[in-house]
Structures are given as C-alpha cells and as structure tokens.
Amino acid sequence: MSLIVQKFGGSSVADAERVMNVARIVTDTFAKGNDVVVVVSAQGDTTDDLIEKAQEINPNATRREKDMLLAAGEQISISLLAMAIEKLGYHAVSLLGWQAGFETTSSHTSARIKRVDASRIRRELDKKNIVVVAGFQGLSKYGDITTLGRGGSDTSAVAIAASMHADLCQIYTDVEGVYTADPRKVKNAQKLKEISYDEMLELATLGAQVLNNRSVEMAKKYNIELEVLSSMAKASGTIVKEKTKMEKMLISGVAKDTEVARVSVTGIPNLPGLAFKMFSKLSAKDINVDIILQSIGHDGKKDISFTVAKDRGQETVDCLKDYMENLGAAEVLYDDNVAKISIVGAGMESHAGVATKMFEALYDAQINIQMISTSEIKVSVLIDAVDADKAVSAIHAKFFD
Ligand code: ADP
Ligand code: ASP
Ligand code: MG
C-alpha cells in the first residue's frame, strides 16, 4: 500500500462534471489499495472573482481580511469533491488548511508554510477515508487564516507529501505536463518526459505558471518526485526530480513573465556608495529587484535601471522619488509595458553560443532588447510587452524547430 498525494487545480474542478471526473480519478487510486490525500484549488476563476469583489468594496482592505475572503474559494471545492466521492460509494472527509495542520507565517496573502502537523490527516486515513484538503491556506500563530500567494495549492500538496513521506505526489492540471513553452501559446511546444528541480524552479520563477515556484523549491529540499499530468486526458506526464536520465538538452524551455516593470533612476552622481544607498531603501521595504543595469559614467553622472514585480512598481517609484534629492538624481522613470522572456537549460553550462542564438531569434523577429541578464542555467531579456508572444515563438522556433 502506498500513500499518494494528488493535487487538482482550478480548471480541473471548474464545474460539476469536472468534480465528478476528479472523484473518479481519486477513487480509482484508492480502490487500488492506496491511501489518498487530495489537495484542491478553488473552482475555475473563483479566486479572481473574489479578488474583484473585495476590490469593489475596498481596494485598500487589510491583507488579513483578503485572506479570510480568498480562503473561502477552496472551502467550496473540498466539500463538493467530498460529496462527489461519497456519491461514488467511498468515504471522504474534507479539511480546511487549519484542520489539516497547516501552520504558516503571519504574512497575509503570501504566507509561508512553517510546518504541517499531519496527525488529523493520518487519523482520517486510518479510518479509511479519502482525505480532501483545501490548498492555498493555513493558520498563523495568532490563529488567523492565511493564504500562500497565487498558485499556492501546488505548495500545499508538496508540503503534505513531504511531511507524510508520501510515495508519490501528482499535480493534475489542464495540460499534459511541462512543455518547452506554454502549449496554449506556442504551437510546437513539446512535452518533456522529465525535468530537473533546478530547471523547473527557474522556469516556474520566470513565468511558466504550470507549477508554483515555491512548490518546486520545497520538492527539491525534501526530495519529493513530482508528476505533472492532465486530469482530462489519460497520458503520461512530466516527472520533476533531482537528476534526469535524459541527455541534457541545450535548453529545456522558454518562459514569459509580463508581471514586471522597469524603473530607471537617471543623472545619479558617478560616486561610490549611491547604488548601495538606493537599493537599501528598497530592501528595507522588502522590494525585490531583479535585472539591474548601470550605465557607464558620463559627465560625472550615471543611470541605474532595474526591474521589479509590477505589483510593487508604484511603491518603488514613490520610495525613490522621496529619496531622489538625497541621491542627487535627476529623474525616476517607470515603464510597466515590458515583458521578461527567458530561456532555461542545464545544457547551457557546457555549450557556448546559447545566448547568441536567443539574440539572433530576436533580431530575426526585429525585436529590440532593453536589458539582459544571465546565470549558469538561464538567459533573460527585457522587451516591449507587445512583442512578448512573438518573441517566445521566435525563440522557441530557433531552438526546437
Ligand atoms: P492549475 O489551475 O491546474 O494550477 P495553472 O493555470 O496554474 O493550472 O497552470 C497550468 C497552465 O500553465 C497551463 O494551462 C498552461 O497554459 C500554462 N503554462 C505556462 N507555461 C507552461 C509550460 N512550460 N508547460 C505547461 N504549461 C504551461
Ligand atoms: N486558488 C488559488 C489561486 O487561484 C490557489 C491555486 O490555484 O493554487 O491562486
Ligand atoms: Mg496553478
């Protein structure tokens, strides 16, 4: 007998028919003699709809209240799925995050899981129940409901798999696995049989939303092998694990992130210490900066540009405008019509010319690059948002066609 964790995303439980479909997958697994813990997300666009409702009433609502509201989406889907399982003649029990033992930090709307006390889940499994757990949520030490940030149900599933030493953690979604690019956007995207944690972590962080990046981080830390597969089609999916048997491909995928903005501070005196001062102001506010570009000094002045998450953009600009005089800077410029396009692949470490190939694809498509950043296994460029899809397709074609 094995312990299997199965996670189903929002589109997999979007309506009654899909909920019944999930119930059949889950009960088939149980009927083969396995213990099954199921993690589900809110149905379809429920989370977006709840955010909109909050927005209508008070755009500046506290994050505690936002969490109280957002966590409601998953409560609907766990109870419906438990009912569907009962209908098929099996025993099920639904549990909210706190009932399932999810202890988190208290940073509302982006809480981190500190621990999963799985004793209640264990007791329910011992009673031969299929346990259905609400993803995306937990409880802070103050006894308040928290959520883990968008896409957080993947992390809930991996956390249960880690704390209960599950034999298998399956992430069911609306595509058949992890592809070389978003299969809904790129025609020739290819399904990967397997991918390493490190490459998947980069792809997820750089915009491939098929897995939440924190779930991959946690899977790597606790060495939980993940299987990403479709809840609608019976086909083998993608295995995410430490070492892959496949020969290293030059790149394993192309990702797009449009949730970024570029900030430029111009006319800063060309003196030591100013970059330090400027970025410490931002880190004091917990604002993460990504690609940084500093111009060569000219006429005693320099410019510094960098990217931040779009939802922290305004705060970043306000903070720097307040500090501009101290820096002696001329202007703070802001542009959120940009996109970050990245290629990821462990094969890059041992092959020259990978970045050049990417730049050539952009040149062929007449797309201008604003900024570039590289690491051992990735190259990212910042471009105009209008060119984003065209760029992904052009780069993908260059490497895979
Ligand atoms: P779920 O609701 O199951 O969590 P998500 O919408 O969060 O599903 O993630 C699945 C979506 O991720 C797919 O529908 C697909 O459009 C998108 N996606 C982006 N990049 C990739 C990729 N490289 N491979 C597979 N899917 C991707
Ligand atoms: N329902 C949450 C969201 O839409 C969590 C998830 O889907 O993973 O972000
Ligand atoms: Mg998701």
Side-chain angles (χ1 to χ4, degrees):
M1 189 175 68
S2 301
L3 170 62
I4 301 182
V5 176
Q6 299 183 316
K7 180 260 170 180
F8 295 87
S11 45
S12 299
V13 291
D15 55 32
E17 199 183 312
R18 294 239 170 122
V19 172
M20 287 311 301
N21 171 57
V22 168
R24 277 189 289 274
I25 296 176
V26 169
T27 52
D28 280 353
T29 312
F30 181 83
K32 287 183 185 139
N34 302 299
D35 280 339
V36 185
V37 181
V38 193
V39 175
V40 279
S41 302
Q43 291 186 289
D45 297 328
T46 303
T47 309
D48 291 325
D49 295 344
L50 291 173
I51 291 172
E52 217 173 284
K53 273 186 200 299
Q55 205 65 18
E56 267 169 35
I57 292 199
N58 178 2
N60 302 315
T62 56
R63 295 198 294 167
R64 180 195 183 277
E65 296 312 324
K66 285 184 186 159
D67 275 353
M68 191 59 105
L69 179 68
L70 293 193
E74 272 69 12
Q75 181 161 357
I76 298 173
S77 43
I78 53 167
S79 49
L80 291 177
L81 180 59
M83 291 173 198
I85 294 169
E86 283 172 1
K87 189 171 170 187
L88 296 180
Y90 293 81
H91 296 291
V93 61
S94 61
L95 299 175
L96 290 168
W98 66 269
Q99 294 175 298
F102 275 82
E103 298 168 15
T104 73
T105 60
S106 52
S107 62
H108 284 285
T109 71
S110 58
R112 282 184 170 264
I113 300 167
K114 289 206 288 201
R115 190 171 97 93
V116 182
D117 170 1
S119 50
R120 172 78 188 271
I121 299 181
R122 182 68 68 191
R123 282 202 304 280
E124 299 296 343
L125 290 175
D126 289 344
K127 288 191 258 175
K128 290 291 146 206
N129 277 317
I130 294 172
V131 183
V132 185
V133 177
F136 178 57
Q137 53 175 265
L139 199 69
S140 74
K141 67 177 177 191
Y142 304 108
D144 286 321
I145 305 285
T146 55
T147 66
L148 308 176
R150 298 307 304 272
S153 296
D154 297 335
T155 314
S156 307
V158 177
I160 291 178
S163 72
M164 301 189 74
H165 306 287
D167 300 288
L168 182 60
C169 183
Q170 296 178 307
I171 309 288
Y172 283 88
T173 182
D174 56 3
V175 288
E176 284 180 22
V178 179
Y179 285 71
T180 50
D182 186 339
R184 295 185 189 287
K185 297 269 169 62
V186 176
K187 271 198 294 313
N188 293 334
Q190 296 159 23
K191 183 164 70 180
L192 300 167
K193 267 206 172 63
E194 43 184 37
I195 183 168
S196 69
Y197 292 128
D198 289 335
E199 289 170 290
M200 190 63 237
L201 183 57
E202 288 286 3
L203 276 180
T205 306
L206 295 166
Q209 104 215 50
V210 62
L211 280 177
N212 179 275
N213 61 351
R214 286 220 218 132
S215 73
V216 183
E217 204 171 64
M218 192 179 289
K220 179 179 160 73
K221 184 166 170 196
Y222 295 100
N223 202 20
I224 308 288
E225 214 168 280
L226 304 178
E227 184 180 2
V228 181
L229 68 176
S230 164
S231 63
M232 288 118 195
K234 269 208 165 76
S236 59
T238 302
I239 304 288
V240 187
K241 59 183 186 178
E242 184 63 48
K243 289 236 175 331
T244 60
K245 279 197 237 78
M246 279 161 56
E247 215 181 303
K248 277 185 190 172
M249 295 201 290
L250 205 47
I251 68 164
S252 54
V254 186
K256 170 184 88 169
D257 183 359
T258 49
E259 295 305 309
V260 289
R262 186 184 43 138
V263 181
S264 302
V265 184
T266 66
I268 306 171
N270 195 13
L271 298 169
L274 290 181
F276 161 68
K277 284 183 187 162
M278 183 173 113
F279 288 120
S280 10
K281 280 281 155 200
L282 300 179
S283 57
K285 287 192 181 298
D286 223 7
I287 296 172
N288 265 328
V289 307
D290 184 23
I291 310 178
I292 301 176
L293 189 77
Q294 179 178 303
S295 69
I296 292 187
H298 51 90
D299 310 324
K301 302 280 184 191
K302 63 187 172 192
D303 307 331
I304 299 179
S305 300
F306 56 91
T307 58
V308 289
K310 208 180 254 183
D311 62 2
R312 306 298 298 273
Q314 197 49 53
E315 212 182 324
T316 306
V317 170
D318 292 345
C319 169
L320 291 176
K321 282 200 166 148
D322 287 346
Y323 195 58
M324 230 166 70
E325 263 179 42
N326 296 312
L327 281 178
E331 251 185 323
V332 179
L333 305 172
Y334 180 73
D335 184 359
D336 62 7
N337 285 314
V338 292
K340 185 167 68 177
I341 310 296
S342 310
I343 54 173
V344 171
M348 259 178 231
E349 281 177 301
S350 47
H351 287 88
V354 176
T356 311
K357 204 162 164 171
M358 179 189 196
F359 303 153
E360 188 184 15
L362 292 167
Y363 166 61
D364 291 345
Q366 286 296 297
I367 294 168
N368 188 39
I369 301 173
Q370 302 180 8
M371 292 168 115
I372 300 172
S373 102
T374 65
S375 80
E376 277 144 15
I377 64 164
K378 70 140 207 252
V379 182
S380 299
V381 296
L382 196 77
I383 60 170
D384 250 342
V386 286
D387 292 328
D389 288 332
K390 191 165 96 177
V392 172
S393 293
I395 295 166
H396 189 272
K398 191 65 135 189
F399 283 93
F400 293 101
D401 280 0

PDB file of all heavy atoms in Angstrom, residues 24 31 40-41 63 80 99 106 113-114 125 131 137 141 203 223 236 270 284 294 311 318 324 346 349 355 361 391 393:
ATOM      1  N   ARG A  24     -13.603  10.390  -9.744  1.00  0.00           N
ATOM      2  CA  ARG A  24     -13.317   9.069 -10.328  1.00  0.00           C
ATOM      3  C   ARG A  24     -11.812   8.769 -10.317  1.00  0.00           C
ATOM      4  O   ARG A  24     -11.394   7.653  -9.994  1.00  0.00           O
ATOM      5  CB  ARG A  24     -13.880   8.981 -11.754  1.00  0.00           C
ATOM      6  CG  ARG A  24     -15.375   8.623 -11.753  1.00  0.00           C
ATOM      7  CD  ARG A  24     -15.883   8.332 -13.149  1.00  0.00           C
ATOM      8  NE  ARG A  24     -15.955   9.552 -13.945  1.00  0.00           N
ATOM      9  CZ  ARG A  24     -17.012  10.391 -13.955  1.00  0.00           C
ATOM     10  NH1 ARG A  24     -18.077  10.098 -13.253  1.00  0.00           N
ATOM     11  NH2 ARG A  24     -16.991  11.481 -14.684  1.00  0.00           N
ATOM     12  N   ALA A  31      -9.130   2.648  -4.781  1.00  0.00           N
ATOM     13  CA  ALA A  31      -9.588   1.268  -4.985  1.00  0.00           C
ATOM     14  C   ALA A  31      -8.435   0.307  -5.272  1.00  0.00           C
ATOM     15  O   ALA A  31      -8.559  -0.898  -5.077  1.00  0.00           O
ATOM     16  CB  ALA A  31     -10.599   1.233  -6.129  1.00  0.00           C
ATOM     17  N   VAL A  40      -7.093  20.363  -3.321  1.00  0.00           N
ATOM     18  CA  VAL A  40      -7.757  21.058  -4.429  1.00  0.00           C
ATOM     19  C   VAL A  40      -7.680  22.573  -4.300  1.00  0.00           C
ATOM     20  O   VAL A  40      -7.587  23.135  -3.211  1.00  0.00           O
ATOM     21  CB  VAL A  40      -9.254  20.665  -4.603  1.00  0.00           C
ATOM     22  CG1 VAL A  40      -9.388  19.378  -5.363  1.00  0.00           C
ATOM     23  CG2 VAL A  40      -9.978  20.597  -3.301  1.00  0.00           C
ATOM     24  N   SER A  41      -7.749  23.212  -5.473  1.00  0.00           N
ATOM     25  CA  SER A  41      -7.824  24.676  -5.564  1.00  0.00           C
ATOM     26  C   SER A  41      -9.284  25.081  -5.672  1.00  0.00           C
ATOM     27  O   SER A  41     -10.156  24.230  -5.856  1.00  0.00           O
ATOM     28  CB  SER A  41      -7.129  25.164  -6.829  1.00  0.00           C
ATOM     29  OG  SER A  41      -5.804  24.758  -6.868  1.00  0.00           O
ATOM     30  N   ARG A  63      -4.793  42.956   4.531  1.00  0.00           N
ATOM     31  CA  ARG A  63      -4.467  41.662   3.935  1.00  0.00           C
ATOM     32  C   ARG A  63      -5.075  40.519   4.761  1.00  0.00           C
ATOM     33  O   ARG A  63      -5.349  39.450   4.241  1.00  0.00           O
ATOM     34  CB  ARG A  63      -2.961  41.535   3.767  1.00  0.00           C
ATOM     35  CG  ARG A  63      -2.440  42.586   2.760  1.00  0.00           C
ATOM     36  CD  ARG A  63      -1.080  42.258   2.236  1.00  0.00           C
ATOM     37  NE  ARG A  63      -0.081  42.330   3.296  1.00  0.00           N
ATOM     38  CZ  ARG A  63       1.140  41.847   3.183  1.00  0.00           C
ATOM     39  NH1 ARG A  63       1.522  41.282   2.073  1.00  0.00           N
ATOM     40  NH2 ARG A  63       1.983  41.947   4.182  1.00  0.00           N
ATOM     41  N   LEU A  80     -17.480  20.026  -2.143  1.00  0.00           N
ATOM     42  CA  LEU A  80     -18.106  19.439  -3.335  1.00  0.00           C
ATOM     43  C   LEU A  80     -17.409  18.147  -3.749  1.00  0.00           C
ATOM     44  O   LEU A  80     -18.058  17.160  -4.093  1.00  0.00           O
ATOM     45  CB  LEU A  80     -18.088  20.450  -4.489  1.00  0.00           C
ATOM     46  CG  LEU A  80     -19.005  21.672  -4.324  1.00  0.00           C
ATOM     47  CD1 LEU A  80     -18.820  22.620  -5.512  1.00  0.00           C
ATOM     48  CD2 LEU A  80     -20.469  21.256  -4.197  1.00  0.00           C
ATOM     49  N   GLN A  99      -7.464  22.675   9.730  1.00  0.00           N
ATOM     50  CA  GLN A  99      -7.848  21.347  10.226  1.00  0.00           C
ATOM     51  C   GLN A  99      -6.826  20.291   9.784  1.00  0.00           C
ATOM     52  O   GLN A  99      -6.627  19.290  10.464  1.00  0.00           O
ATOM     53  CB  GLN A  99      -9.231  20.962   9.681  1.00  0.00           C
ATOM     54  CG  GLN A  99     -10.350  21.844  10.192  1.00  0.00           C
ATOM     55  CD  GLN A  99     -11.675  21.493   9.519  1.00  0.00           C
ATOM     56  OE1 GLN A  99     -11.809  21.606   8.302  1.00  0.00           O
ATOM     57  NE2 GLN A  99     -12.641  21.063  10.304  1.00  0.00           N
ATOM     58  N   SER A 106       2.792  34.691   9.505  1.00  0.00           N
ATOM     59  CA  SER A 106       1.607  35.543   9.539  1.00  0.00           C
ATOM     60  C   SER A 106       1.620  36.601   8.438  1.00  0.00           C
ATOM     61  O   SER A 106       0.869  37.561   8.489  1.00  0.00           O
ATOM     62  CB  SER A 106       1.481  36.197  10.920  1.00  0.00           C
ATOM     63  OG  SER A 106       2.693  36.809  11.239  1.00  0.00           O
ATOM     64  N   ILE A 113       4.635  28.238   4.585  1.00  0.00           N
ATOM     65  CA  ILE A 113       4.304  27.095   5.448  1.00  0.00           C
ATOM     66  C   ILE A 113       5.473  26.835   6.398  1.00  0.00           C
ATOM     67  O   ILE A 113       6.613  26.702   5.958  1.00  0.00           O
ATOM     68  CB  ILE A 113       4.036  25.832   4.598  1.00  0.00           C
ATOM     69  CG1 ILE A 113       2.865  26.088   3.651  1.00  0.00           C
ATOM     70  CG2 ILE A 113       3.766  24.622   5.489  1.00  0.00           C
ATOM     71  CD1 ILE A 113       2.701  25.042   2.557  1.00  0.00           C
ATOM     72  N   LYS A 114       5.193  26.822   7.702  1.00  0.00           N
ATOM     73  CA  LYS A 114       6.252  26.521   8.666  1.00  0.00           C
ATOM     74  C   LYS A 114       6.283  25.024   8.958  1.00  0.00           C
ATOM     75  O   LYS A 114       7.326  24.430   9.127  1.00  0.00           O
ATOM     76  CB  LYS A 114       6.007  27.291   9.964  1.00  0.00           C
ATOM     77  CG  LYS A 114       6.259  28.789   9.803  1.00  0.00           C
ATOM     78  CD  LYS A 114       6.638  29.447  11.105  1.00  0.00           C
ATOM     79  CE  LYS A 114       5.435  29.538  12.013  1.00  0.00           C
ATOM     80  NZ  LYS A 114       5.550  30.565  13.056  1.00  0.00           N
ATOM     81  N   LEU A 125      -7.068   8.915   7.494  1.00  0.00           N
ATOM     82  CA  LEU A 125      -6.653   7.841   6.577  1.00  0.00           C
ATOM     83  C   LEU A 125      -6.806   6.483   7.263  1.00  0.00           C
ATOM     84  O   LEU A 125      -7.241   5.512   6.642  1.00  0.00           O
ATOM     85  CB  LEU A 125      -5.186   8.033   6.143  1.00  0.00           C
ATOM     86  CG  LEU A 125      -4.889   9.207   5.209  1.00  0.00           C
ATOM     87  CD1 LEU A 125      -3.385   9.335   4.986  1.00  0.00           C
ATOM     88  CD2 LEU A 125      -5.599   9.041   3.860  1.00  0.00           C
ATOM     89  N   VAL A 131      -8.974  11.686   2.080  1.00  0.00           N
ATOM     90  CA  VAL A 131      -8.908  12.993   2.743  1.00  0.00           C
ATOM     91  C   VAL A 131      -8.766  14.098   1.701  1.00  0.00           C
ATOM     92  O   VAL A 131      -7.851  14.063   0.872  1.00  0.00           O
ATOM     93  CB  VAL A 131      -7.732  13.040   3.748  1.00  0.00           C
ATOM     94  CG1 VAL A 131      -7.718  14.368   4.489  1.00  0.00           C
ATOM     95  CG2 VAL A 131      -7.832  11.882   4.735  1.00  0.00           C
ATOM     96  N   GLN A 137      -4.009  27.509   1.786  1.00  0.00           N
ATOM     97  CA  GLN A 137      -4.331  28.193   3.038  1.00  0.00           C
ATOM     98  C   GLN A 137      -3.750  27.519   4.270  1.00  0.00           C
ATOM     99  O   GLN A 137      -3.401  26.351   4.256  1.00  0.00           O
ATOM    100  CB  GLN A 137      -5.841  28.276   3.197  1.00  0.00           C
ATOM    101  CG  GLN A 137      -6.538  26.925   3.064  1.00  0.00           C
ATOM    102  CD  GLN A 137      -8.022  27.033   3.349  1.00  0.00           C
ATOM    103  OE1 GLN A 137      -8.471  26.792   4.451  1.00  0.00           O
ATOM    104  NE2 GLN A 137      -8.786  27.420   2.344  1.00  0.00           N
ATOM    105  N   LYS A 141       0.262  31.890  13.754  1.00  0.00           N
ATOM    106  CA  LYS A 141       0.350  31.608  15.194  1.00  0.00           C
ATOM    107  C   LYS A 141      -0.639  32.470  15.986  1.00  0.00           C
ATOM    108  O   LYS A 141      -0.886  32.211  17.160  1.00  0.00           O
ATOM    109  CB  LYS A 141       1.774  31.814  15.694  1.00  0.00           C
ATOM    110  CG  LYS A 141       2.265  33.232  15.653  1.00  0.00           C
ATOM    111  CD  LYS A 141       3.661  33.325  16.248  1.00  0.00           C
ATOM    112  CE  LYS A 141       4.172  34.742  16.138  1.00  0.00           C
ATOM    113  NZ  LYS A 141       5.581  34.890  16.439  1.00  0.00           N
ATOM    114  N   LEU A 203      12.225  27.833 -14.522  1.00  0.00           N
ATOM    115  CA  LEU A 203      11.084  28.051 -15.427  1.00  0.00           C
ATOM    116  C   LEU A 203       9.884  28.602 -14.658  1.00  0.00           C
ATOM    117  O   LEU A 203       9.231  29.558 -15.099  1.00  0.00           O
ATOM    118  CB  LEU A 203      10.676  26.742 -16.106  1.00  0.00           C
ATOM    119  CG  LEU A 203      11.431  26.323 -17.365  1.00  0.00           C
ATOM    120  CD1 LEU A 203      10.886  25.000 -17.885  1.00  0.00           C
ATOM    121  CD2 LEU A 203      11.317  27.396 -18.454  1.00  0.00           C
ATOM    122  N   ASN A 223      13.295  16.306  -1.496  1.00  0.00           N
ATOM    123  CA  ASN A 223      13.466  15.261  -2.493  1.00  0.00           C
ATOM    124  C   ASN A 223      12.158  14.520  -2.805  1.00  0.00           C
ATOM    125  O   ASN A 223      12.098  13.298  -2.796  1.00  0.00           O
ATOM    126  CB  ASN A 223      14.561  14.283  -2.043  1.00  0.00           C
ATOM    127  CG  ASN A 223      15.139  13.523  -3.215  1.00  0.00           C
ATOM    128  OD1 ASN A 223      15.014  13.964  -4.369  1.00  0.00           O
ATOM    129  ND2 ASN A 223      15.716  12.373  -2.951  1.00  0.00           N
ATOM    130  N   SER A 236       0.799   9.975 -20.214  1.00  0.00           N
ATOM    131  CA  SER A 236       1.870  10.120 -19.221  1.00  0.00           C
ATOM    132  C   SER A 236       2.290  11.583 -19.172  1.00  0.00           C
ATOM    133  O   SER A 236       2.246  12.301 -20.172  1.00  0.00           O
ATOM    134  CB  SER A 236       3.040   9.212 -19.572  1.00  0.00           C
ATOM    135  OG  SER A 236       3.510   9.548 -20.843  1.00  0.00           O
ATOM    136  N   ASN A 270      28.256  60.127 -10.301  1.00  0.00           N
ATOM    137  CA  ASN A 270      29.079  58.937 -10.518  1.00  0.00           C
ATOM    138  C   ASN A 270      30.075  58.758  -9.371  1.00  0.00           C
ATOM    139  O   ASN A 270      31.276  58.938  -9.535  1.00  0.00           O
ATOM    140  CB  ASN A 270      29.794  59.072 -11.869  1.00  0.00           C
ATOM    141  CG  ASN A 270      30.365  57.748 -12.341  1.00  0.00           C
ATOM    142  OD1 ASN A 270      30.022  56.687 -11.790  1.00  0.00           O
ATOM    143  ND2 ASN A 270      31.237  57.797 -13.331  1.00  0.00           N
ATOM    144  N   ALA A 284      14.780  47.688   2.440  1.00  0.00           N
ATOM    145  CA  ALA A 284      14.132  47.959   3.735  1.00  0.00           C
ATOM    146  C   ALA A 284      12.615  47.794   3.611  1.00  0.00           C
ATOM    147  O   ALA A 284      11.926  47.506   4.578  1.00  0.00           O
ATOM    148  CB  ALA A 284      14.474  49.362   4.208  1.00  0.00           C
ATOM    149  N   GLN A 294      23.597  49.252 -15.020  1.00  0.00           N
ATOM    150  CA  GLN A 294      24.119  50.588 -14.717  1.00  0.00           C
ATOM    151  C   GLN A 294      24.894  51.076 -15.923  1.00  0.00           C
ATOM    152  O   GLN A 294      25.718  50.343 -16.479  1.00  0.00           O
ATOM    153  CB  GLN A 294      25.017  50.535 -13.484  1.00  0.00           C
ATOM    154  CG  GLN A 294      25.594  51.911 -13.164  1.00  0.00           C
ATOM    155  CD  GLN A 294      26.463  51.909 -11.919  1.00  0.00           C
ATOM    156  OE1 GLN A 294      26.019  51.531 -10.854  1.00  0.00           O
ATOM    157  NE2 GLN A 294      27.707  52.318 -12.071  1.00  0.00           N
ATOM    158  N   ASP A 311       3.401  44.575  -9.300  1.00  0.00           N
ATOM    159  CA  ASP A 311       2.535  44.969  -8.173  1.00  0.00           C
ATOM    160  C   ASP A 311       3.293  45.721  -7.074  1.00  0.00           C
ATOM    161  O   ASP A 311       2.682  46.206  -6.122  1.00  0.00           O
ATOM    162  CB  ASP A 311       1.749  43.772  -7.614  1.00  0.00           C
ATOM    163  CG  ASP A 311       2.637  42.690  -7.046  1.00  0.00           C
ATOM    164  OD1 ASP A 311       3.871  42.863  -7.050  1.00  0.00           O
ATOM    165  OD2 ASP A 311       2.089  41.662  -6.599  1.00  0.00           O
ATOM    166  N   ASP A 318       7.438  55.646  -5.697  1.00  0.00           N
ATOM    167  CA  ASP A 318       7.182  56.591  -4.607  1.00  0.00           C
ATOM    168  C   ASP A 318       8.382  56.656  -3.668  1.00  0.00           C
ATOM    169  O   ASP A 318       8.834  57.739  -3.269  1.00  0.00           O
ATOM    170  CB  ASP A 318       5.940  56.173  -3.803  1.00  0.00           C
ATOM    171  CG  ASP A 318       4.670  56.309  -4.638  1.00  0.00           C
ATOM    172  OD1 ASP A 318       4.730  56.983  -5.691  1.00  0.00           O
ATOM    173  OD2 ASP A 318       3.633  55.738  -4.246  1.00  0.00           O
ATOM    174  N   MET A 324      15.047  60.919  -3.974  1.00  0.00           N
ATOM    175  CA  MET A 324      15.814  61.426  -5.116  1.00  0.00           C
ATOM    176  C   MET A 324      16.793  62.547  -4.754  1.00  0.00           C
ATOM    177  O   MET A 324      17.934  62.550  -5.177  1.00  0.00           O
ATOM    178  CB  MET A 324      14.835  61.951  -6.160  1.00  0.00           C
ATOM    179  CG  MET A 324      15.077  61.440  -7.529  1.00  0.00           C
ATOM    180  SD  MET A 324      13.663  61.790  -8.563  1.00  0.00           S
ATOM    181  CE  MET A 324      13.739  63.548  -8.731  1.00  0.00           C
ATOM    182  N   ALA A 346      20.005  23.379 -18.372  1.00  0.00           N
ATOM    183  CA  ALA A 346      21.274  22.999 -17.751  1.00  0.00           C
ATOM    184  C   ALA A 346      22.349  22.817 -18.822  1.00  0.00           C
ATOM    185  O   ALA A 346      23.537  22.931 -18.540  1.00  0.00           O
ATOM    186  CB  ALA A 346      21.089  21.722 -16.952  1.00  0.00           C
ATOM    187  N   GLU A 349      25.463  25.386 -19.570  1.00  0.00           N
ATOM    188  CA  GLU A 349      26.734  25.429 -18.839  1.00  0.00           C
ATOM    189  C   GLU A 349      27.879  24.928 -19.703  1.00  0.00           C
ATOM    190  O   GLU A 349      28.997  25.390 -19.586  1.00  0.00           O
ATOM    191  CB  GLU A 349      26.640  24.554 -17.581  1.00  0.00           C
ATOM    192  CG  GLU A 349      25.913  25.227 -16.451  1.00  0.00           C
ATOM    193  CD  GLU A 349      25.765  24.295 -15.249  1.00  0.00           C
ATOM    194  OE1 GLU A 349      25.154  23.222 -15.405  1.00  0.00           O
ATOM    195  OE2 GLU A 349      26.265  24.639 -14.177  1.00  0.00           O
ATOM    196  N   ALA A 355      23.151  31.979 -25.689  1.00  0.00           N
ATOM    197  CA  ALA A 355      22.579  33.329 -25.599  1.00  0.00           C
ATOM    198  C   ALA A 355      22.551  33.974 -26.984  1.00  0.00           C
ATOM    199  O   ALA A 355      21.560  34.597 -27.378  1.00  0.00           O
ATOM    200  CB  ALA A 355      23.388  34.178 -24.631  1.00  0.00           C
ATOM    201  N   ALA A 361      17.438  35.074 -32.704  1.00  0.00           N
ATOM    202  CA  ALA A 361      15.993  34.879 -32.917  1.00  0.00           C
ATOM    203  C   ALA A 361      15.258  36.207 -32.750  1.00  0.00           C
ATOM    204  O   ALA A 361      14.337  36.530 -33.518  1.00  0.00           O
ATOM    205  CB  ALA A 361      15.454  33.843 -31.935  1.00  0.00           C
ATOM    206  N   ALA A 391       8.049  37.059 -29.429  1.00  0.00           N
ATOM    207  CA  ALA A 391       9.415  36.723 -29.021  1.00  0.00           C
ATOM    208  C   ALA A 391       9.504  35.273 -28.556  1.00  0.00           C
ATOM    209  O   ALA A 391      10.417  34.536 -28.946  1.00  0.00           O
ATOM    210  CB  ALA A 391       9.865  37.663 -27.893  1.00  0.00           C
ATOM    211  N   SER A 393       7.628  32.768 -29.386  1.00  0.00           N
ATOM    212  CA  SER A 393       7.509  31.865 -30.540  1.00  0.00           C
ATOM    213  C   SER A 393       8.788  31.855 -31.369  1.00  0.00           C
ATOM    214  O   SER A 393       9.247  30.791 -31.808  1.00  0.00           O
ATOM    215  CB  SER A 393       6.341  32.280 -31.428  1.00  0.00           C
ATOM    216  OG  SER A 393       5.144  32.080 -30.722  1.00  0.00           O
TER     217      SER A 393
END
